[in-house]
Amino acid sequence: MENQEIQQEVYSMPRIGDQAPDFTATTTKGQVTLSDFAKDKWIVFFSHPADFTPVCTTEMSGFAQRKKEFDDLNTELLGLSIDSIHAHLGWVSNVKEKTGVYFDFPIIADLDMSVSKKYGMLQPNEAETAAVRAVFFIDPKKKIRLVMYYPLNVGRNMDEILRALKALQVSDQHKVALPLDWKPGEQVIVPPPKTLEEMDKRNKETGIDRIDFYLSKKDLKL
Ligand code: BEZ
């Protein structure tokens, strides 16, 4: 191995709590610079492996058909794949013609893979030239708050994407945590006490469902 260098490109994988890596990219709606995009809004930034493929078509159609729900959650959609802008335009118009569903959100044409590499969407042991199915939930301060990575052969779940987005927003707004399988309208977790004094208070608190000092739930008026 002397004098022999092992070439291994290291791609970053942004983590929860990181500032979302900035970029400028060509999209189906013109140039987008992430730091200027969707001011004061949440962003659901997602990648798909390739245009004109079946699972991707179902997923993109799912985002398009439920766009109003994202709008209602003050959230912009931003897609990406390692395809040309011409492929994107052809696919968007083909799906509209065949199914009536219109992908009315920007889709990045990441032919040089620069954005995919910044976001860990290119995972070479899964595919060397196609992005995996990633979803980044980016808050209005451009912080990454939740990350999903799915492989090429498994489509994502739109109910879960919307549920997770709503859960992040409810958690921020009401300073609560959300339990297993939480859905809007269900009880939320009251943050557990951090001191003995807070624990004594919690043990006497009324109006909450207390199982013990560390596990209490309450109704939330949304
Ligand atoms: C699909 O979307 O169907 C797909 C894309 C790339 C690899 C495998 C499946």
Side-chain angles (χ1 to χ4, degrees):
M1 291 297 260
E2 239 177 28
N3 295 332
Q4 213 181 324
E5 270 190 27
I6 298 171
Q7 290 288 329
Q8 197 176 19
E9 206 169 348
V10 178
Y11 305 141
S12 53
M13 282 178 85
R15 294 158 301 189
I16 293 171
D18 289 355
Q19 205 63 27
D22 202 16
F23 59 80
T24 298
T26 302
T27 84
T28 50
K29 300 245 182 194
Q31 292 275 109
V32 164
T33 297
L34 187 84
S35 49
D36 291 335
F37 179 67
K39 286 251 181 268
D40 303 322
K41 289 183 166 191
W42 286 72
I43 302 169
V44 168
F45 177 32
F46 57 96
S47 55
H48 69 271
D51 296 347
F52 295 101
T53 53
V55 178
C56 296
T57 304
T58 63
E59 288 190 317
M60 293 296 270
S61 300
F63 279 112
Q65 286 168 313
R66 299 188 71 175
K67 184 171 179 299
K68 167 85 172 57
E69 290 171 68
F70 289 100
D71 291 342
D72 291 347
L73 292 172
N74 191 36
T75 300
E76 291 289 338
L77 295 172
L78 178 62
L80 172 149
S81 75
I82 301 169
D83 285 291
S84 70
I85 196 69
H86 306 291
H88 281 349
L89 299 181
W91 186 40
V92 171
S93 52
N94 180 261
V95 174
K96 172 95 172 35
E97 185 193 320
K98 300 287 174 181
T99 70
V101 177
Y102 184 55
F103 303 164
D104 192 13
F105 45 79
I107 308 168
I108 294 171
D110 193 34
L111 262 190
D112 68 0
M113 309 187 198
S114 57
V115 181
S116 309
K117 287 177 185 174
K118 274 188 177 172
Y119 277 79
M121 292 164 169
L122 195 64
Q123 302 193 5
N125 291 325
E126 174 71 350
E128 284 185 356
T129 55
V132 296
R133 302 179 193 281
V135 191
F136 287 89
F137 295 71
I138 301 173
D139 73 14
K141 293 190 173 132
K142 301 287 190 283
K143 258 212 176 117
I144 292 178
R145 301 291 302 280
L146 195 153
V147 180
M148 297 173 174
Y149 285 114
Y150 276 54
L152 267 53
N153 56 350
V154 178
R156 288 158 282 199
N157 182 305
M158 202 55 61
D159 288 334
E160 173 55 9
I161 292 171
L162 279 156
R163 186 199 77 94
L165 177 62
K166 180 76 184 166
L168 286 167
Q169 295 183 355
V170 166
S171 173
D172 280 5
Q173 196 183 343
H174 298 276
K175 308 284 175 266
V176 293
L178 292 319
L180 172 79
D181 294 337
W182 176 86
K183 285 195 243 17
E186 295 180 356
Q187 283 197 315
V188 300
I189 305 266
V190 189
K194 293 193 184 74
T195 62
L196 288 170
E197 197 185 348
E198 284 177 11
M199 187 175 77
D200 287 343
K201 250 197 197 160
R202 175 61 46 82
N203 283 333
K204 292 180 198 127
E205 203 170 324
T206 55
I208 60 172
D209 285 344
R210 188 178 47 249
I211 291 157
D212 208 326
F213 73 93
Y214 63 90
L215 175 55
S216 304
K217 294 184 185 178
K218 67 174 183 182
D219 295 326
L220 202 60
K221 308 276 173 285
L222 289 177

